[in-house]
Amino acid sequence: MNDMKTRGKFLDMDTFEAVRIDNVSKYYGAVAAVKDVDCTVQSGEFLTLLGPSGSGKTTLLMMLAGFTTPSEGQIWVDTKDITHVPPEQRNFGVVFQGYALFPHMTVFDNVAYPLRLRKMPARQIRQKVEQILSLVRLDAYADRHPRQLSGGQQQRTALARTLVYDPILILLDESLGALDKQLRGELQQELKALHRQLGRTFVNVTHDQQEALDMSDRIVVMNEGGVEQIGTPRELYERPNSRFVVEFLGDSNLLPTSLAFGGTDDPSRSALIRPEAISIGASDTKPTGEDQMMVRATVRSTSYFGSDQLVEVALDSGLTLRVRVNSAHAIPIEEGGSVSISWERRNLHLVDN
Amino acid sequence: MTRSQFAYILPVLLFLVLLYFLPMFKIVGISLEFPDFDLKHYVKLYESNAVRRIAWTTFVICTATTIITVFLSYILAYDLRFASPGRQKFMFMLVLLPLWTSALIRCVAWLILLRQNGLVNEALMFVGAIDTPLELVRNKIGVIVGMVHFLVPFAVLTLYASFRDIDERLMQASRSLGGRRIDTLSKVFLPLSATGVLQAVTLTFVFSLGFYVTPALLGGGRTVMLSEYVSVSVLQTLRWGLGTAICIVLAVLCIGLVLLSQRAIKRWNGAVA
Ligand SMILES: Nc1ncnc2c1ncn2[C@@H]1O[C@H](COP(=O)(O)OP(=O)(O)OP(=O)(O)O)[C@@H](O)[C@H]1O
Ligand SMILES: [Mg+2]
């Protein structure tokens, strides 16, 4: 891969159908940081790698970027094997954890850097940089140095520096992780809008499930180096295929099948019911339909969140369930009080134990 | 500071006063003909052609030594910074090894290598690169070689320490943006290493001003530097006034250089990081 042709080819390539991660593993000594990952990034989608700390997200992203070489497996862009193509020839964009802005350059020079490397004429550079800086609303900050920027402005500078040369794939590593909650929410919306506007392909790493659910077209849930499940946010939330995904995404209750459906128990599986799918009523409420399951319970505790309320109830069997009650239709609930709780069988989802 | 804290640092304080500050005052005193206040040694120093010649030689040798040392050390330290842990350990050993060898032995070793019928000349003649042996020792070249050899470990350690502070992700960012190795080195690494280079230059230059054994042996009496001249003045010609005056001028020069470079580094850091 030492000839200029490869370099030229990659810089010329401006679309692709899919980036394929083909059975990739990465070992550090005996430890598998990434193990047998199979996954495809579709052109134009916003894909999120979600998983707890140490699950191999950064390692996988760095293999996509070209900084880490897989121990096994290949990475393909359509029919091209790029496993051993160095990062500078991939024409991907990377927003690093901590942003990695050049401290000795102004915002303008940071953003102009990739264009200067591509030997673009100065006038054109000025035009492109100004255009992209106004896109991320940083026009007024062009002459500042990174240390003179807030966290959010640094993040947007890093994003601008990555978008300015139209990379075919944009990789982000916890790019919002260091920001406070409100700012993170704002930047999530901005990033989402940018994705829609530019139609580029994004791969985002996060361990924030809310961010993943909100922004992604599809999510790859990772655990201990492997892929646990891939799907749209809705699929993962409503039809998780393992206890890990259940517990990692959103709030959940896992019930023995006999209790959930009535009838005999299946010890190999549990039934998932989300807290918002459980209703709570006065203790003398009667079941209303065939599909409904109803049991008596005692209120253990309540937490008030404004728009809704999280109620913890204990069944006679000792099992505790979490119930999310919309504040608009709440019945009076007091701790220690007796209530009836109910759910529809169709809202249950079976997972293997 | 409490009384007990003071008691703890007292030994160090005494040590400094007795072995450092008192002799320093004594030297200042001698150079000024204490209890008189006579600047005649300094005037002599300024007017003497011999001193002027030696000062110029010293300046040339120290500058050349500094440039060569920092250049070589930059390459070594850069390689060290990005080497695998195993290779790093091995390289550190090689860099530090000379520090465990006495300066005298190292000089003699260079003498053997570089003299007329030494290994280097013999090898060059053998392969036919030269017909007559080169003058590699008992002149400036010999002195510079010896001094560079002595100073490289110090410069490498100084540079390596500052290189380690440069975030590796900045280099990765440069590559991901399309920068080849040379782009990343010249546009990102080099500018960010400027303060480290300045530190290494200052250290090397100040150190090299004080060299005494190496020039005496490898210069072979023909290349005299200020420190050696001080020793000759004090031990052989017994002109203590002149010798101490040179010492004071050198000391002031060194302190000035260090302060100047610290200021430059501070200013640079303020502008950049
Ligand atoms: N260079 C390395 N050498 C040895 N082990 C490594 C290296 N890089 C990563 N690992 C190990 O591989 C595993 C996965 O690390 P990785 O950084 O990919 O996790 P992550 O999902 O990004 O975690 P986080 O959310 O904390 O950033 C970890 O157990 C880590 O200790
Ligand atoms: Mg990570």
Side-chain angles (χ1 to χ4, degrees):
Chain A
M1 293 292 166
N2 54 4
D3 52 359
M4 289 300 288
K5 261 196 203 134
T6 322
R7 179 182 168 85
K9 234 185 235 165
F10 269 87
L11 290 175
D12 286 344
M13 185 164 167
D14 52 21
T15 54
F16 66 93
E17 291 287 315
V19 174
R20 202 149 53 80
I21 299 164
D22 184 3
N23 215 11
V24 162
S25 302
K26 178 68 190 182
Y27 298 96
Y28 289 109
V31 184
V34 167
K35 183 103 185 83
D36 300 330
V37 168
D38 254 317
C39 164
T40 302
V41 187
Q42 300 294 342
S43 180
E45 79 172 332
F46 195 111
L47 184 79
T48 294
L49 305 180
L50 176 69
S53 190
S55 55
K57 307 179 297 287
T58 299
T59 308
L60 187 58
L61 199 76
M62 286 301 119
M63 288 193 282
L64 273 175
F67 291 110
T68 307
T69 314
S71 313
E72 287 163 12
Q74 284 90 41
I75 297 172
W76 304 83
V77 176
D78 294 339
T79 54
K80 279 194 201 89
D81 181 353
I82 62 158
T83 316
H84 298 284
V85 175
E88 59 269 28
Q89 295 176 15
R90 291 194 180 193
N91 206 25
F92 293 174
V94 186
V95 176
F96 288 85
Q97 217 163 352
Y99 315 131
L101 295 174
F102 303 129
H104 58 298
M105 297 183 196
T106 60
V107 168
F108 184 94
D109 290 332
N110 263 283
V111 178
Y113 185 81
L115 302 181
R116 289 186 179 138
L117 289 176
R118 284 163 177 72
K119 306 260 184 291
M120 195 183 260
R123 188 135 45 88
Q124 219 175 325
I125 289 180
R126 174 153 290 279
Q127 204 180 343
K128 271 218 99 162
V129 172
E130 277 167 3
Q131 186 190 337
I132 203 90
L133 283 181
S134 78
L135 184 70
V136 297
R137 297 184 290 109
L138 281 174
D139 350 29
Y141 297 88
D143 294 329
R144 296 228 188 154
H145 278 88
R147 78 198 147 88
Q148 299 166 312
L149 300 177
S150 72
Q153 290 163 347
Q154 288 181 18
Q155 197 270 350
R156 294 207 297 261
T157 308
L159 198 59
R161 187 176 68 176
T162 309
L163 295 175
V164 77
Y165 58 98
D166 291 325
I168 57 176
L169 179 65
I170 295 149
L171 309 168
L172 306 115
D173 191 359
E174 311 240 5
S175 88
L176 304 173
L179 307 172
D180 67 56
K181 207 171 162 202
Q182 192 192 339
L183 188 58
R184 191 159 49 182
E186 283 169 25
L187 289 173
Q188 276 170 19
Q189 297 317 312
E190 262 175 44
L191 199 55
K192 228 163 105 173
L194 273 176
H195 172 246
R196 219 172 296 137
Q197 194 177 336
L198 302 172
R200 293 273 150 186
T201 315
F202 285 69
V203 176
N204 181 40
V205 160
T206 185
H207 55 237
D208 179 345
Q209 44 150 316
Q210 224 48 55
E211 181 182 321
L213 290 173
D214 176 23
M215 302 183 64
S216 321
D217 294 314
R218 289 191 310 145
I219 301 174
V220 179
V221 181
M222 295 190 65
N223 182 26
E224 294 181 349
V227 171
E228 202 73 31
Q229 189 173 0
I230 304 178
T232 64
R234 187 175 286 273
E235 278 165 5
L236 293 181
Y237 191 74
E238 292 177 357
R239 294 193 297 283
N241 64 8
S242 70
R243 282 187 85 106
F244 179 82
V245 178
V246 168
E247 276 155 19
F248 200 72
L249 268 181
D251 233 354
S252 60
N253 297 294
L254 284 170
L255 309 177
T257 51
S258 55
L259 173 69
F261 291 98
T264 56
D265 198 42
D266 176 357
S268 68
R269 296 196 285 186
S270 301
L272 162 71
I273 181 89
R274 296 289 181 185
E276 64 274 14
I278 302 178
S279 327
I280 207 161
S283 57
D284 54 359
T285 317
K286 294 277 178 293
T288 52
E290 268 291 282
D291 197 45
Q292 197 177 41
M293 287 294 297
M294 181 173 280
V295 288
R296 295 286 205 79
T298 314
V299 177
R300 273 280 175 75
S301 65
T302 66
S303 322
Y304 183 69
F305 294 113
S307 63
D308 55 17
Q309 194 175 353
L310 192 66
V311 183
E312 230 175 56
V313 299
L315 307 187
D316 293 341
S317 63
L319 195 69
T320 63
L321 296 183
R322 293 154 72 76
V323 183
R324 195 169 282 281
V325 185
N326 189 317
S327 299
H329 339 111
I331 61 155
I333 295 167
E334 43 192 80
E335 293 183 15
S338 206
V339 291
S340 76
I341 59 168
S342 59
W343 56 84
E344 311 283 320
R345 284 199 185 91
R346 63 186 156 82
N347 286 333
L348 293 164
H349 173 76
L350 286 169
V351 278
D352 293 332
N353 279 334
Chain B
M1 197 187 306
T2 66
R3 195 171 286 222
S4 69
Q5 279 172 328
F6 187 73
Y8 278 120
I9 64 163
L10 194 63
V12 180
L13 223 61
L14 273 177
F15 183 86
L16 272 179
V17 168
L18 281 179
L19 296 177
Y20 191 75
F21 287 111
L22 280 183
M24 271 306 266
F25 281 128
K26 182 90 180 159
I27 286 173
V28 175
I30 295 172
S31 77
L32 291 172
E33 293 285 317
F34 188 79
D36 298 338
F37 184 83
D38 192 339
L39 287 173
K40 70 176 180 204
H41 297 303
Y42 292 90
V43 174
K44 174 109 192 292
L45 214 161
Y46 181 74
E47 285 173 346
S48 156
N49 273 329
V51 171
R52 197 172 290 177
R53 211 182 51 241
I54 291 168
W56 177 246
T57 308
T58 308
F59 176 76
V60 169
I61 289 179
C62 290
T63 307
T65 301
T66 303
I67 292 171
I68 298 170
T69 302
V70 173
F71 180 76
L72 291 178
S73 304
Y74 197 97
I75 298 171
L76 274 171
Y78 181 80
D79 199 37
L80 255 174
R81 168 68 173 78
F82 297 105
S84 67
R87 211 163 69 92
Q88 226 173 38
K89 218 178 265 174
F90 180 69
M91 283 182 69
F92 260 123
M93 206 187 67
L94 290 187
V95 167
L96 294 179
L97 208 59
L99 289 183
W100 301 99
T101 321
S102 105
L104 208 63
I105 290 176
R106 277 188 271 170
C107 282
V108 174
W110 277 117
L111 219 52
I112 294 170
L113 280 176
L114 297 178
R115 67 186 173 192
Q116 293 264 316
N117 55 351
L119 209 59
V120 173
N121 271 321
E122 301 254 292
L124 286 176
M125 297 227 283
F126 182 76
V127 299
I130 50 172
D131 297 327
T132 49
L134 297 171
E135 295 270 345
L136 296 175
V137 82
R138 286 185 224 292
N139 57 15
K140 286 197 184 70
I141 298 175
V143 177
I144 292 173
V145 167
M147 285 171 62
V148 167
H149 182 218
F150 189 92
L151 288 165
V152 159
F154 296 99
V156 167
L157 291 181
T158 311
L159 287 169
Y160 175 75
S162 89
F163 287 1
R164 246 191 354 196
D165 292 342
I166 300 176
D167 189 346
E168 188 161 10
R169 275 179 302 194
L170 295 176
M171 260 77 72
Q172 293 188 333
S174 166
R175 290 185 71 188
S176 80
L177 295 168
R180 292 161 303 163
R181 195 178 283 267
I182 182 76
D183 300 317
T184 305
L185 179 61
S186 64
K187 298 191 178 82
V188 178
F189 194 85
L190 209 62
L192 290 174
S193 68
T195 58
V197 169
L198 194 53
Q199 273 166 345
V201 163
T202 313
L203 182 89
T204 311
F205 192 79
V206 166
F207 249 20
S208 67
L209 280 177
F211 266 64
Y212 158 58
V213 173
T214 311
L217 285 176
L218 293 175
R222 278 192 280 167
T223 310
V224 181
M225 286 174 65
L226 278 174
S227 304
E228 194 186 351
Y229 189 68
V230 170
S231 139
V232 170
S233 307
V234 170
L235 297 176
Q236 289 168 24
T237 55
L238 298 182
R239 288 186 296 182
W240 281 51
L242 188 68
T244 50
I246 295 177
C247 286
I248 298 302
V249 170
L250 275 177
V252 169
L253 190 69
C254 289
I255 293 169
L257 278 177
V258 170
L259 290 180
L260 214 67
S261 100
Q262 271 179 351
R263 240 179 94 158
I265 287 169
K266 225 181 196 159
R267 186 169 298 177
W268 174 264
N269 281 343
V272 157

